[in-house]
Amino acid sequence: MKTLVIAEKPSVAQDIVRALAPVAGRFDKHEDHFENEQYVVTSAVGHLLEIQAPEAFDVKRGKWSFAHLPVIPPHFDLKPVEKTKSRLAAVVKQARRKDVGRLVNACDAGREGELIFRLIAQYAFDGKHAPKPVERLWLQSMTPQAIREGFGRLRSDAQMQGLADAARSRSEADWLVGINGTRAMTAFNSQGGGFFLTTVGRVQTPTLAIVVDREEQIRKHVPRDYWEVHATFLAQAGSYQGRWFDPDWKKDPQDAEKRPERLWSADEAARIAAAVRGQACSVREESKPSTQASPLLFDLTSLQREANGRFGFSAKTTLALAQSLYEKHKALTYPRTDSRWLPEDYLPVARQTFEMLAASAMPHLAGHAQTALAQGWVRASKRIFDNAKVSDHFAIIPTLQAPGALSEAEQKLYDLVARRFMAVFFPSAEYLITTRITTATHAGAHHHFRSDGKVLVKPGWLAIYGKEAEAESQAAGQPAGQKGEAAAKSLVPVAAGEMVRNEAVDIRALQTRPPARYSEATLLGAMEGAGKLIDDEELRAAMQEKGLGTPATRAAIIEGLLTEKYMLREGRELVPTAKATQLMTLLRGLQVEELSRPQLTGEWEAKLARMERGQLARADFMREIADMTARIVAKAKEFNRDSVPGDYATLTAACPNCGGQIKENYRRYACTGQAAGGQAGQGCGFSITKTPAGRTLSVPEAEALLAQRRIGPLEGFRSKAGWPFTAELTLAEDAEAPGRYKLEFDFGDSAPAEETPQAAQELAAQPSLGPCPRCGSAVKLLGKNYVCEKSVATSAAPASCDFKSGQTILQQPISAEQMGKLLQTGKTDLLDKFISNRTRRPFAARLAWSAGDGKVIFEFEPREGARARPAYSRAAPAASAAKPAAKTTTKAAAKTAKAAAEKKKTPRAGSLQPSAALAAVIGPGPFGRGEVMQKLWDYIKAHNLQDPQDKRTLIADEKLRPLFEADRIGMFKLAGIAGKHLS
């Protein structure tokens, strides 16, 4: 009978085959496995299965209500991951073979690796097939010798039962909390109608809480004035700067803004300045050597933080690049790791890696690798090689394979990892640090000024980053996180006993600043160190090695928060939205803050660790999770939405009905009836929802809406069916209650423009863009629409025309210039940023006036060799699409369009001459247009220039860059670019 070995990834399966072949015989390679007389070796590709509730408990979104909660199924079914179904089938086929007598779990050494294998075995032996004996291969090093030794000491299935229980429990508990928490909060927020998706999760929500807490600190921060005194001192050798400080200062735990150099009184700063001005001062100083070791090797989180700080890469982008360098180029080791050390038997591999770099065609790396080898610096060190600190995987380092053609972004990331790998073996950087205290004495009082000097004596590992001289010690190569060091500078010498004289004094009036918003780099660091936020010592210890999420999932958590509009990217800052603040208010108000604090993860990690050691039963843990889930749902069911407590704003804009004061509560902005300076009343009844169509309206947006009666267009609304849409919000007078206002959506497709004297006056002041295609009068911009001047009633004449077209159509801005072209020539230029309501995909078209339809329609460019596409009509007034366009379907129109397209069509060969840039890629020509595109695509596919993560993105190499004029373009732009290079 044969032994089936199941690894977690194909690359590990190959490593196992290479290690076993010398002792077990040659393996034959098949499509999905390797095989010899003794072993069958195959692999998963990460998780092949996911848990799901049985069908009876799988409540669909339309039924997300408290009536169906909590969802606590008696057991969990398994569902294949859609994109890896074929791989699962291949692995299961091998497991069920009659000549396979036992299985070896060779998945990664950790909780997730155990879960991946256990789910595969459960699925393969589901009652219809008898289970087979299982043993565990536990590896922390992937050298051939370590793999062979691992097969010599396989662990029994019973030994791994605790880890297996912990893995299943963590997975099922996350499901229970995520599903029930999300559905309970969604049901709570959707009670007033509509569907307001409110996602929560054990990792996602505490991560969001970190960002929201920081934003609240920023919002509540009150700037405080303080002063610093800076002085210039003149010595025999020249002048130097110093800053006043209090040598007796002690940290105040109640006031984090206090510093030894800060003065909280302008008078005191003035007294110090007066006391030191022009004085002879004594000097004492201390110079001592200092060393600085290189940072540790990269794990995924530290790599993501470094790449974000240095290049602005998002965590998701860094992971994708690292995965490409690992899978496609075989140039980096496995990236989804949380370890920054190497196994102790990896020293020979490290030397071989240096030899590869020294012989590579990368001169910026080769010289440093040669130096390290020549100096004998590649040697064992506990700072680099430590089995106790290697978890499921070891640190990210270059492999023995030199990379081939890399994209610019891939090259940047590879260089980052390669430099860090070499740097840990290099000697420490050596500095000479000088601290100089200059003291001025006046009227018996001593005033101290500090000056710091730092000189790079030996660059050591900094040489890898270009730090060869003192002036370069703060150059761009410095790793992120060390930029807070004092700028390298030397102080002019002062002789022993020399008195210096004050030359100038500068009093600087400053203000305290709020803490900085999180970037992806700092948020990843906060997630990694989330255990520090926990007071309980046992829970903090349980999270010490874990944090929030894992290196492999943190990028996805951040992207999920961005996708759900809980956060926005502004430059490199992550800014929480009103939706995020509202969620935190709800969780605090419902007293279910365990969902928003890292304590929950700490408690789980402590209990799962006990389960791994056999000290806690899985059934007991899952019972506790079910009880907690039921309590969360019960809290949400019991609470009154109108009285959720929170830190709510009072708006400055007045109530449009009565002029009273508007206050925020959990779900609405409502009139309190209290005028400024007056007495509080019951309110006039005016209020607007904070979440129209599932989009949270922020306080500034509500202020603008109340003040201007209109805001937008705004994105992020969702219809009852869940489709996203864009619209303006308006406060419109209620026809059934004159003088009262209500909230309405404006899609820009109402008939005539607002008939008010103000509208007529505003329209009269606007320049004409061209003649109205209906009546010949002037078309002008009014609000967010282009309208005929005859569409607005005046005191002299009623409205007589209904021409109106939006300034935004299907999310495509229509400029005044383009509207002018439509009015004067009948059509606009080709516009390429329309977004289909049906498919949500971008498309290009012209806007044209159709006299037959009496409206503005889409006109599409004919595609060569294809039937001409019919024009699509569109009602002219549309400003921001709410309805799909109608199709003109007459056969005569289609035939006419086709004939016109064929008449204009360029011959396929012999007439189009490429530019020099295009000819460098496809040859000198002449060509037909179709032939040009075919040759371009042949070149792109032959050189693998489609982004592996997004096939619609094309990557420029040296030949394509002059053509693209960019490093990357979308594939739909290729035809337009090629057209510009043909004559």
Side-chain angles (χ1 to χ4, degrees):
M1 299 292 282
K2 295 188 178 184
T3 296
L4 173 64
V5 181
I6 301 178
E8 188 167 320
K9 298 175 290 293
S11 61
V12 176
Q14 292 174 346
D15 290 339
I16 290 172
V17 166
R18 282 193 287 266
L20 292 180
V23 295
R26 188 178 70 85
F27 282 80
D28 293 324
K29 188 179 186 306
H30 299 270
E31 184 176 357
D32 294 305
H33 68 282
F34 301 88
E35 187 170 355
N36 67 7
E37 294 298 320
Q38 186 177 352
Y39 292 102
V40 178
V41 181
T42 187
S43 75
V45 282
H47 283 276
L48 301 182
L49 291 147
E50 53 194 4
I51 64 168
Q52 65 170 0
E55 186 65 31
F57 290 82
D58 188 18
V59 182
K60 304 303 180 188
R61 189 179 73 179
K63 297 182 180 179
W64 283 17
S65 69
F66 287 127
H68 301 278
L69 294 177
V71 179
I72 304 177
H75 68 277
F76 286 92
D77 292 337
L78 296 180
K79 178 178 72 172
V81 175
E82 194 63 34
K83 66 180 181 180
T84 54
K85 274 186 173 181
S86 60
R87 172 63 72 168
L88 174 64
V91 175
V92 168
K93 179 181 177 182
Q94 300 304 319
R96 291 174 177 172
R97 279 172 49 167
K98 291 183 179 179
D99 62 341
V100 168
R102 68 165 183 160
L103 275 62
V104 171
N105 175 5
C107 292
D108 295 344
R111 196 185 291 161
E112 287 308 298
E114 195 68 24
L115 181 63
I116 288 170
F117 175 85
R118 295 281 174 163
L119 296 186
I120 292 172
Q122 177 184 337
Y123 187 82
F125 308 116
D126 55 1
K128 300 175 186 176
H129 302 83
K132 298 178 181 180
V134 172
E135 291 181 287
R136 183 63 151 107
L137 176 67
W138 194 264
L139 297 176
Q140 290 184 308
S141 172
M142 293 305 297
T143 62
Q145 183 61 31
I147 293 172
R148 288 191 287 269
E149 289 174 358
F151 271 92
R153 53 172 188 268
L154 294 172
R155 300 184 182 184
S156 70
D157 190 51
Q159 285 177 283
M160 307 309 300
Q161 192 58 52
L163 183 64
D165 286 347
R168 285 183 182 272
S169 297
R170 196 279 310 155
S171 178
E172 292 174 8
D174 269 342
W175 190 95
L176 286 169
V177 170
I179 290 293
N180 286 281
T182 293
R183 293 181 179 182
M185 298 309 128
T186 299
F188 187 95
N189 282 328
S190 303
Q191 288 176 98
F195 181 77
F196 184 53
L197 179 62
T198 311
T199 59
V200 298
R202 175 180 62 89
V203 176
Q204 168 192 305
T205 312
T207 300
L208 181 62
I210 291 172
V211 180
V212 172
D213 287 348
R214 176 62 58 86
E215 194 68 20
E216 289 177 351
Q217 292 173 27
I218 294 170
R219 181 167 55 85
K220 292 177 180 178
H221 179 264
V222 178
R224 295 164 61 188
D225 294 332
Y226 71 92
W227 289 262
E228 290 182 356
V229 181
H230 293 250
T232 302
F233 300 97
L234 183 62
Q236 292 178 7
S239 62
Y240 63 92
Q241 306 291 317
R243 180 170 61 174
W244 177 89
F245 76 105
D246 179 3
D248 299 322
W249 178 85
K250 286 186 172 35
K251 189 174 183 179
D252 185 349
Q254 305 301 318
D255 190 348
E257 291 183 333
K258 288 187 176 179
R259 304 278 193 280
E261 68 277 1
R262 291 181 176 178
L263 293 158
W264 301 97
S265 163
D267 291 341
E268 187 179 0
R271 283 196 299 272
I272 293 172
V276 74
R277 189 172 284 115
Q279 293 290 323
C281 306
S282 62
V283 178
R284 64 181 174 84
E285 70 179 22
E286 179 182 285
S287 294
K288 60 180 181 181
S290 175
T291 61
Q292 181 187 0
S294 75
L296 297 174
L297 295 169
F298 282 124
D299 63 0
L300 178 57
T301 300
S302 59
L303 179 61
Q304 288 170 321
R305 294 181 65 189
E306 185 87 0
N308 181 256
R310 191 184 299 277
F311 308 126
F313 292 167
S314 70
K316 178 183 177 183
T317 297
T318 299
L319 177 56
L321 291 169
Q323 200 71 25
S324 175
L325 288 164
Y326 164 68
E327 291 180 351
K328 177 182 175 183
H329 300 286
K330 316 295 183 188
L332 291 185
T333 57
Y334 184 69
R336 297 169 183 256
T337 175
D338 60 357
S339 177
R340 304 185 71 176
W341 286 265
L342 298 175
E344 291 169 11
D345 62 359
Y346 230 69
L347 179 59
V349 179
R351 284 204 182 98
Q352 292 170 17
T353 306
F354 266 86
E355 290 166 359
M356 178 277 293
L357 291 170
S360 72
M362 296 178 285
H364 59 294
L365 302 176
H368 300 301
Q370 292 162 3
T371 299
L373 291 169
Q375 297 294 330
W377 290 338
V378 187
R379 52 179 178 261
S381 164
K382 274 289 185 183
R383 195 168 178 271
I384 306 169
F385 304 96
D386 191 342
N387 286 347
K389 294 179 179 177
V390 172
S391 56
D392 304 11
H393 305 280
F394 52 78
I396 305 172
I397 63 172
T399 64
L400 297 178
Q401 183 166 322
L406 302 179
S407 70
E408 183 180 352
E410 288 171 336
Q411 187 67 54
K412 284 181 177 179
L413 201 73
Y414 181 83
D415 285 353
L416 208 58
V417 174
R419 290 180 195 272
R420 178 66 66 88
F421 170 71
M422 291 190 293
V424 294
F425 291 94
F426 267 57
S428 296
E430 297 181 14
Y431 293 93
L432 182 64
I433 295 178
T434 301
T435 302
R436 178 178 295 170
I437 308 298
T438 305
T439 304
T441 303
H442 179 75
H446 303 291
H447 304 289
H448 306 278
F449 291 77
R450 177 174 177 140
S451 308
D452 293 297
K454 185 176 182 181
V455 178
L456 182 62
V457 179
K458 291 183 180 179
W461 63 274
L462 289 173
I464 295 174
Y465 297 89
K467 307 285 190 60
E468 296 290 0
E470 169 192 329
E472 295 174 326
S473 65
Q474 289 293 310
Q478 184 167 338
Q482 297 174 11
K483 294 177 182 175
E485 291 182 8
K489 61 180 179 181
S490 58
L491 296 171
V492 298
V494 175
E498 179 184 350
M499 298 290 285
V500 299
R501 182 168 296 279
N502 171 254
E503 192 175 28
V505 182
D506 176 24
I507 299 175
R508 300 182 186 178
L510 303 167
Q511 283 190 327
T512 58
R513 295 181 179 181
R517 284 193 176 111
Y518 283 103
S519 64
E520 286 203 40
T522 55
L523 182 56
L524 286 166
M527 294 173 73
E528 187 177 37
K532 297 174 184 176
L533 305 173
I534 299 176
D535 294 329
D536 186 279
E537 188 174 337
E538 182 183 355
L539 301 187
R540 188 166 62 248
M543 278 191 72
Q544 185 175 4
E545 301 297 327
K546 300 292 182 181
L548 282 172
T550 67
T553 61
R554 285 175 190 142
I557 292 294
I558 293 173
E559 289 297 323
L561 291 170
L562 291 163
T563 300
E564 291 296 333
K565 303 300 185 205
Y566 281 121
M567 299 190 307
L568 301 173
R569 279 193 184 98
E570 291 185 2
R572 294 194 183 185
E573 292 183 335
L574 298 174
V575 183
T577 63
K579 181 180 179 182
T581 305
Q582 188 177 16
L583 174 60
M584 293 305 136
T585 298
L586 176 60
L587 295 176
R588 294 165 188 162
L590 297 181
Q591 300 172 1
V592 289
E593 287 191 73
E594 59 263 46
L595 285 181
S596 63
R597 297 292 176 222
Q599 276 89 338
L600 181 60
T601 292
E603 290 172 5
W604 285 19
E605 287 299 337
K607 290 174 181 177
L608 292 173
R610 289 174 56 204
M611 194 183 299
E612 289 178 16
R613 297 191 296 267
Q615 298 169 350
L616 177 66
R618 168 166 147 74
D620 293 341
F621 176 80
M622 293 308 301
R623 193 179 304 111
E624 290 180 19
I625 298 299
D627 291 344
M628 183 191 72
T629 300
R631 189 183 73 80
I632 291 171
V633 173
K635 281 283 187 181
K637 284 181 177 179
E638 293 168 3
F639 225 87
N640 185 335
R641 278 199 316 157
D642 292 327
S643 58
V644 176
D647 183 13
Y648 298 121
T650 298
L651 277 59
T652 57
C655 171
N657 289 351
C658 70
Q661 194 174 65
I662 301 286
K663 283 193 173 183
E664 175 191 16
N665 59 41
Y666 175 68
R667 64 190 184 111
R668 305 190 75 79
Y669 295 103
C671 177
T672 64
Q674 178 182 3
Q679 297 297 314
Q682 296 302 310
C684 68
F686 171 82
S687 70
I688 56 173
T689 178
K690 286 172 66 176
T691 54
R695 182 195 187 278
T696 303
L697 202 60
S698 68
V699 171
E701 288 171 339
E703 291 271 20
L705 175 62
L706 289 165
Q708 302 164 16
R709 304 288 193 269
R710 178 180 292 273
I711 186 172
L714 301 176
E715 297 180 349
F717 298 110
R718 286 185 179 271
S719 69
K720 290 182 179 180
W723 287 101
F725 67 90
T726 301
E728 290 185 348
L729 288 176
T730 66
L731 288 179
E733 192 168 2
D734 192 338
E736 298 178 1
R740 314 289 287 183
Y741 286 83
K742 62 180 181 178
L743 184 67
E744 290 185 350
F745 288 105
D746 184 354
F747 299 99
D749 55 3
S750 55
E754 193 176 3
E755 297 180 2
T756 65
Q758 292 86 350
Q761 292 171 11
E762 181 183 338
L763 196 63
Q766 293 291 324
S768 172
L769 301 174
C772 172
R774 284 190 182 277
C775 68
S777 301
V779 172
K780 300 179 178 183
L781 177 63
L782 177 63
K784 300 293 183 182
N785 300 292
Y786 298 107
V787 303
C788 175
E789 63 180 354
K790 298 296 186 183
S791 67
V792 176
T794 66
S795 57
S800 59
C801 182
D802 64 356
F803 176 83
K804 181 181 180 183
S805 186
Q807 204 177 10
T808 302
I809 295 176
L810 289 178
Q811 302 186 37
Q812 164 75 61
I814 311 300
S815 67
E817 178 187 6
Q818 291 299 329
M819 179 52 62
K821 286 189 177 183
L822 185 147
L823 298 171
Q824 292 160 22
T825 68
K827 63 181 68 175
T828 66
D829 294 336
L830 188 66
L831 306 175
D832 62 359
K833 292 183 174 61
F834 295 107
I835 304 295
S836 166
N837 264 342
R838 184 175 62 85
T839 66
R840 311 308 302 165
R841 292 179 179 174
F843 67 90
R846 301 177 191 271
L847 293 179
W849 174 254
S850 170
D853 294 324
K855 61 180 71 173
V856 173
I857 63 170
F858 288 124
E859 183 179 286
F860 297 96
E861 291 288 274
R863 291 182 294 183
E864 183 179 353
R867 294 174 59 187
R869 298 173 66 186
Y872 283 77
S873 66
R874 169 172 189 85
S880 184
K883 302 173 183 176
K887 188 186 295 184
T888 56
T889 57
T890 63
K891 292 183 178 180
K895 287 181 179 179
T896 302
K898 182 178 180 181
E902 290 175 347
K903 186 175 181 180
K904 294 179 181 177
K905 188 166 61 176
T906 306
R908 289 188 58 83
S911 63
L912 296 176
Q913 198 66 42
S915 68
L918 181 56
V921 181
I922 66 171
F927 299 111
R929 190 176 299 273
E931 190 179 4
V932 169
M933 294 306 299
Q934 184 61 53
K935 286 181 174 292
L936 276 172
W937 274 109
D938 288 345
Y939 181 86
I940 288 165
K941 289 179 178 178
H943 294 81
N944 294 319
L945 296 176
Q946 286 178 279
D947 189 325
Q949 305 301 320
D950 179 5
K951 296 291 187 183
R952 293 177 296 180
T953 298
L954 307 181
I955 302 168
D957 61 5
E958 293 305 315
K959 284 188 176 182
L960 289 176
R961 195 168 287 110
L963 198 66
F964 291 180
E965 297 180 351
D967 291 330
R968 305 162 75 86
I969 66 164
M971 63 184 289
F972 299 111
K973 293 184 178 180
L974 187 62
I977 290 172
K980 294 178 183 178
H981 287 264
L982 293 170
S983 58

